[in-house]
Each structure stands twice: as structure tokens, then as C-alpha cells.
Amino acid sequence: MRWLCDFLNSSIGKKISVGLAGLFLCGFVVPHLLGNLLLFVGMAQFNAYAHFLQANPLTPAAELGLLALFLLHGTVALWARWQNWRARPVGYDTVASKGGRTIGSRTMTYTAFLVLAFLILHVAMFKYGWGSAFHDEELFQRVMDFFRNPWIAGGYALALIGLGLHLSHGFESAFQTLGVNHPKYTPFIKVLGVLFAVAVAGAFAAIPIWACFLGGAK
Amino acid sequence: MNAQEKTMDVTLRVWRQKGPDQPGRFVSYAAKGVTPEMSFFEALDTINEGLVAKGEDAIAFDHDCREGICGTCCLTIEGQPHGPDQAATGCQLHMRAYKDGDAITIEPFRARAFPVIKDLVVDRSALDRVMASGGFVSVNTGSAGEANAILVPKDKAEAAMDAAACIGCGACVAACPNASAMLFVSAKVSQFALLPQGGPERDRRVLAMQRQMDLEGFGNCSNEGECEAVCPKEVKLANIARLNREYIRAMFWSHEVHPKVDLEGQEE
């Protein structure tokens, strides 16, 4: 299995690992978002969905798989970032882009840490009820209780804009990394990447904004 | 038109470094009476003539053909490898890009794999070692064969030529926020992978060149695209996607494994 170690150790193998794990995480985000949008439908429907997930025997396995994907995505990317930092020990006095970088690609490391911090709080608050007054309330109630606080709602919206920026580069970049670059469909993937980032960030952020500032949590 | 009216005075802020392990610093030089028709390097030549006349050490900078085909020049001008022009090398830059009173910062290409030799001259032999590790076809070509003995589709020939346009200047490494050499390696892998003659060794080649690239201490590609934007020969990011495909193919569909190589490119 030396070849597998060589693969994970190589610059191309690292980016393929990060890109592939990232695409799987994108695949997780879509059903998660669709489920959350049930908050807009009503309390009973959302709570029924939450009970269905909690009672499903496959849920713990899926959670472990998700954790493994996050760890792979994060640790390999961080390892690559460390090597990149070492690859230029003396930096430039003046740096001027000629047009390759985007705001999303420039901020990948920052948005990554923003999303990481957000995820830790997010799981602690909503899954384990950290900071909640009760520990046995229905999930709909817990969401609304948290989002009544404008600081929490604002912080959530901000972190989700960070996720959107991360996706605006990451989605398209993962396809390039997997060797998918062709004049017939690369322009489509680029547009799809931006639309995906805007849709995911916008729809997720709409929940705390609606709950806190538009009277959803009344 | 009176040529006298069109001259300008600019300040060049140049990185000076006596040797590889010496500390470096910026030194400002006034270039007076520069004409717009002068090439950027001629402005540097003018300063050097003045320095030599005063008995000082001339500014060392790499240059050879001065017509954009050799890939020798390696200046980062105002934060851009090869300067502000599109699809051009530093030697093709002219002073008409600047105006009277401009201050222009000139630095060497910066990367761990490109150590500074002196002033603005860097050692880019890392790219040569990547080529030596696999950038060739191991056949005795003999005398020129019949041109149509091996048929090549025109679109493949064109794409291979576009990749082979790479002059190995290293601007992609210099511009990359990660100091990655992926665009260079992808161009060199592509020019062979696209042609039938490169077919028999394609798996072995991509693994060997990738391994050597990593050993040289270049960074990892994160698809920023700055390399494509500065490339004087307009080598495209599509080549990096091809390199990734070649690598996946070699890694998962061939019997080849990474060759064990040391830093000199010698197989153990």
C-alpha cells in the first residue's frame, strides 16, 4: 500500500483528497438545508422531521462519516497550507494580482476557520443544547430561543456568508482538481458554483434573519 | 516631435543581495532621461553603466534573447512577475508603460525552490531537474522519419504545441500565492500526453515529474489562477486539469508506482 501513502503525500493527491471531501460535504449541505427550510413550513412539520432523524438508526453512522469527511478535508488542507507557507520563506515587498484570484479564493483559509468555529458552536448549541435554558425542549423551540438573541442570529448570518465565500471558490475548484476542465462545461460549472454558494449561504442565513429580525420567533 | 520633451525621470527601487546567504535590501536608483522607446532592461542597463563608471557593483539581472523567447528574465516588477503587460516577458516591457516621476519596485522571483544567487538573479535549476526526471521520450529518434508515419489529429497537435510554448521562465511559480510549479509541470506533462509518441511512458512520466516537483519544495496548487494570468506564453489552467487526470490515471489505473528519487533526480 505504499502507493496510497505516496498518493496522500503528493501535492496532487492532497488536493484531490481535499476537493473530493469538499464535494461530498457540499452533498451533505443540500439535504441539511432542505430539512432546515421546514422551519418556515411550521413547528409540527419541523419537529416531526427532527424526530425522524433522531430515531433513525443510521443517523449515528452518518454523523461519524460526516466527521471523518470534515477531518480529512480540514487536516489535509491545513497540511498543504503549511507547506505553501514554507514554500516562500522570503515574501514580496509589493504584490499585485494580474487577475487570477477572487475574493473567495483569497479568503479560503480565513473562511475555513470561521466555518470551523461556527460548526463547533452550532453542534454544541443545537445538538447538545449548550447554552440552552432547557435540555428537553422540542428542536423548533430551541432554534427560536437561540435566534431571538440578535447577537447569535447576526453571528450565524455572518458565518454563513463566510461559508458562501468558501463555496464560491471551493465548488468550482474541486472540479478542476478532479480534472474536469472542458470548454463545453467549465463555464457552466463556474456559474453553478457561484449560484450554489449564493443559494446555500442565502437560504441558511435567511433562517436566523427571519427568526430574529422579521418576527419569525414570536 | 521633439524627443527631448518625451524623456522622463523614474526611480527604480531594486533588491540588492550580494550572495545566496547574504541579507538583502532595497536600494533606490534614479534613472534620468529615460525615453518611452527604451525597453525596461535598457533603463536598467543605463543605471548599470552609471554604477560601473563610479566603480560600484552593477545590478545583476538575468536576460538573454531580449525578445521573449528564451525564458531567462525573472524580474518581479511592481509585484507582477514580468511586469504589467499581458502575455509578455519582462524583456518585452517598455518604458512607455510608465510616466515621469514613477517609482518602480523590482524584486527577484520569490520561492524556496528558487534561491537568490545575486540581486535579481535566482537559481531555477529545480525546473530542469523536474524535466530530467521524466520530461522526455526514451526512443532513439534517428534521422527524421516520414512526417505522416504517425498520424496526429490537428486539435491534439495544436493543444500539444500550446503546452509546449512554455519557456520555463518560472513566472507561474513566482506569481502563485503558494509558490507552486503546477502550471509548468502540467505544460510539460501535457505536451507529451497529447501526442502518440508520449503515450508509452505517460504514467511513469507523470509520477516521476510530480515526485520531483514535490521534492524541490514547491508549494501546493489551490487553483488560484494567478499562474495563468502572468504566463507570458498564455499556458492555460486546462493543462493543470490534464495533469490531474494523468496523475489519477497513473495512480489508480496503471501498474506504475512513484519512483524513489533523491534531490538530484537520480533514481535510487
Side-chain angles (χ1 to χ4, degrees), chain A residues 15 81 97 99-109 169 172-173, chain B residues 175-178 220-229 237 240:
Chain A
K15 67 188 276 187
R81 190 75 197 76
S97 168
R101 308 187 82 178
T102 61
I103 183 165
S105 76
R106 278 175 192 279
T107 53
M108 280 311 259
T109 311
H169 176 70
E172 167 214 328
S173 181
Chain B
C176 176
N178 311 326
N220 301 286
C221 171
S222 60
N223 301 326
E224 296 274 4
E226 287 292 326
C227 51
E228 183 186 58
L237 281 182
I240 298 184

Side-chain angles (χ1 to χ4, degrees), chain A residues 2-4 6-7 9-16 79-81 83-84 86-102 105-106 169 173-174 176-181, chain B residues 13 26 76 78-80 83-85 107-108 110-112 173-174 176-179 210-211 213-214 217 219-226 229-230 237-238 240-241 244-245 247-248 251-252 258:
Chain A
R2 197 194 97 200
W3 67 274
L4 193 60
D6 283 343
F7 173 77
N9 201 20
S10 75
S11 51
I12 304 178
K14 280 202 285 286
K15 67 188 276 187
I16 289 171
W79 176 19
R81 190 75 197 76
Q83 288 182 324
N84 295 346
R86 283 185 13 114
R88 181 166 288 137
V90 181
Y92 288 104
D93 173 77
T94 309
V95 180
S97 168
K98 233 172 182 177
R101 308 187 82 178
T102 61
S105 76
R106 278 175 192 279
H169 176 70
S173 181
Q176 161 80 6
T177 292
L178 293 172
V180 181
N181 184 321
Chain B
R13 197 167 151 259
F26 283 101
T76 304
E78 279 295 288
Q80 296 181 323
D85 288 350
E107 298 170 80
R110 298 283 192 198
R112 182 157 65 112
V173 176
C176 176
N178 311 326
Q210 182 277 322
R211 165 60 59 90
M213 168 178 78
D214 287 358
N220 301 286
C221 171
S222 60
N223 301 326
E224 296 274 4
E226 287 292 326
V230 298
L237 281 182
I240 298 184
N244 297 343
R245 290 199 297 276
Y247 183 78
I248 292 168
M251 209 67 211
F252 296 99
H258 276 100

Side-chain angles (χ1 to χ4, degrees), chain B residues 4-254:
Chain B
Q4 197 64 38
E5 286 174 1
K6 295 184 70 179
T7 64
M8 54 183 154
D9 298 338
V10 295
T11 306
L12 300 184
R13 197 167 151 259
V14 183
W15 181 261
R16 301 301 308 264
Q17 182 172 341
K18 282 192 160 58
D21 300 318
Q22 307 284 320
R25 65 192 177 95
F26 283 101
V27 180
S28 290
Y29 299 96
K32 294 190 185 302
V34 170
T35 67
E37 297 80 19
M38 265 187 179
S39 78
F40 193 82
F41 285 13
E42 282 168 339
L44 273 172
D45 290 339
T46 311
I47 288 174
N48 272 346
E49 281 169 9
L51 287 174
V52 171
K54 285 193 283 183
E56 293 178 25
D57 204 11
I59 301 164
F61 65 103
D62 255 339
H63 55 93
D64 189 22
C65 75
R66 294 204 178 195
E67 52 182 322
I69 54 174
C70 74
T72 307
C73 48
C74 53
L75 303 187
T76 304
I77 301 164
E78 279 295 288
Q80 296 181 323
H82 291 314
D85 288 350
Q86 294 293 327
T89 55
C91 64
Q92 293 173 297
L93 177 65
H94 284 75
M95 293 310 291
R96 66 177 80 96
Y98 300 96
K99 58 184 190 302
D100 191 47
D102 276 354
I104 306 159
T105 300
I106 312 172
E107 298 170 80
F109 283 2
R110 298 283 192 198
R112 182 157 65 112
F114 290 170
V116 172
I117 297 171
K118 189 182 181 189
D119 296 340
L120 302 168
V121 180
V122 297
D123 178 1
R124 283 165 290 174
S125 55
L127 298 182
D128 299 334
R129 288 189 291 273
V130 171
M131 282 308 277
S133 70
F136 49 79
V137 174
S138 313
V139 288
N140 185 355
T141 50
S143 54
E146 156 61 34
N148 291 323
I150 302 173
L151 296 177
V152 180
K154 181 160 165 54
D155 61 327
K156 291 278 195 304
E158 295 281 356
M161 275 303 290
D162 287 345
C166 168
I167 51 177
C169 64
C172 45
V173 176
C176 176
N178 311 326
S180 167
M182 206 72 91
L183 191 68
F184 167 81
V185 175
S186 75
K188 299 305 178 190
V189 164
S190 290
Q191 75 188 42
F192 293 109
L194 284 159
L195 297 177
Q197 292 89 339
E201 291 168 295
R202 64 194 287 189
D203 299 319
R204 188 184 161 76
R205 175 183 305 113
V206 68
L207 294 182
M209 292 179 79
Q210 182 277 322
R211 165 60 59 90
Q212 191 63 35
M213 168 178 78
D214 287 358
L215 285 175
E216 297 290 349
F218 291 108
N220 301 286
C221 171
S222 60
N223 301 326
E224 296 274 4
E226 287 292 326
C227 51
E228 183 186 58
V230 298
C231 178
K233 299 298 155 188
E234 300 185 295
V235 173
K236 298 297 178 201
L237 281 182
N239 288 296
I240 298 184
R242 184 179 298 104
L243 169 68
N244 297 343
R245 290 199 297 276
E246 288 292 311
Y247 183 78
I248 292 168
R249 184 193 132 105
M251 209 67 211
F252 296 99
W253 275 270
S254 83

Side-chain angles (χ1 to χ4, degrees), chain A residues 11-177:
Chain A
S11 51
I12 304 178
K14 280 202 285 286
K15 67 188 276 187
I16 289 171
S17 310
V18 174
L20 207 56
L23 276 187
F24 278 117
L25 291 173
C26 287
F28 157 72
V29 156
V30 174
H32 182 36
L33 174 63
L34 293 176
N36 283 11
L37 291 180
L38 284 173
L39 282 162
F40 291 115
V41 179
M43 183 165 73
Q45 288 86 345
F46 182 77
N47 281 338
Y49 164 71
H51 286 303
F52 164 73
L53 281 187
Q54 284 157 357
N56 195 323
L58 292 176
T59 300
E63 284 172 342
L64 278 180
L66 200 55
L67 181 67
L69 278 177
F70 269 112
L71 288 178
L72 178 72
H73 185 73
T75 50
V76 178
L78 204 61
W79 176 19
R81 190 75 197 76
W82 161 251
Q83 288 182 324
N84 295 346
W85 184 67
R86 283 185 13 114
R88 181 166 288 137
V90 181
Y92 288 104
D93 173 77
T94 309
V95 180
S97 168
K98 233 172 182 177
R101 308 187 82 178
T102 61
I103 183 165
S105 76
R106 278 175 192 279
T107 53
M108 280 311 259
T109 311
Y110 308 113
T111 52
F113 279 105
L114 180 65
V115 169
L116 175 67
F118 162 75
L119 283 177
I120 292 169
L121 286 173
H122 175 61
V123 171
M125 288 162 74
F126 286 123
K127 186 170 165 60
Y128 297 106
W130 181 74
S132 165
F134 322 97
H135 287 281
D136 53 354
E137 76 273 34
E138 293 284 352
L139 194 58
F140 186 90
Q141 195 56 41
R142 184 178 286 179
V143 171
M144 292 307 158
D145 283 348
F146 275 128
F147 284 164
R148 219 167 268 130
N149 182 337
W151 289 102
I152 294 177
Y156 258 69
L158 192 71
L160 289 162
I161 290 168
L163 175 65
L165 270 178
H166 199 77
L167 290 175
S168 73
H169 176 70
F171 186 87
E172 167 214 328
S173 181
F175 283 94
Q176 161 80 6
T177 292

